[in-house]
Amino acid sequence: MIRTTMFLISTTALLGCSTELVPGAERVRQISPGMTSSCTFIGPVTGAESMGMDVAGDVESAYNKVRNAAFDRGGNAFVVSSTSSSSDITVVQADIYACR
C-alpha cells in the first residue's frame, strides 16, 4: 500500500514538471523559413526541458516553452533553428515572428 502511494505521488510530481501552454499560445504555429516573408522578426528563443518522464514528454514541454515565449512576446509563429534531444535534456532553439 505504501509503495503504491509513493509511486503515485512521485509520478504525479514528475508529470507536474511538464510545461503546459498558456491560454492563447495554442495559436502559435511552427512555420518553415520560406514562410517568413510576410512576417516581422521578433527575436530568438530557447526552450529546454529535462524533467519529463521520457524524451517525448521533454520534447513536447520544450516546444510548449517556445510557444509560450512567442505568445508572451507578441508572436504568432516560430521557425526552429535547431533541436537537440538526449535521455537527459531536450533543447529547442527558434526564431519568433509576428505574421499576418
Side-chain angles (χ1 to χ4, degrees):
M1 176 73 170
I2 291 175
R3 228 176 169 174
T4 304
T5 303
M6 291 306 292
F7 173 77
L8 290 174
I9 290 171
S10 63
T11 302
T12 303
L14 287 173
L15 290 175
C17 296
S18 176
T19 300
E20 299 297 322
L21 290 173
V22 297
E26 71 278 356
R27 293 188 305 268
V28 175
R29 66 194 193 283
Q30 182 177 350
I31 60 173
S32 67
M35 299 172 68
T36 62
S37 62
S38 64
C39 304
T40 302
F41 177 71
I42 295 175
V45 66
T46 300
E49 184 61 70
S50 62
M51 298 299 290
M53 293 284 290
D54 56 20
V55 174
D58 285 352
V59 170
E60 180 181 356
S61 187
Y63 271 87
N64 283 350
K65 288 180 179 183
V66 168
R67 282 187 169 85
N68 288 343
F71 181 74
D72 289 343
R73 293 171 61 186
N76 62 359
F78 65 95
V79 174
V80 173
S81 53
S82 71
T83 61
S84 173
S85 284
S86 70
S87 59
D88 296 325
I89 190 168
T90 295
V91 178
V92 177
Q93 294 180 316
D95 291 325
I96 300 170
Y97 291 88
C99 302
R100 291 185 251 146

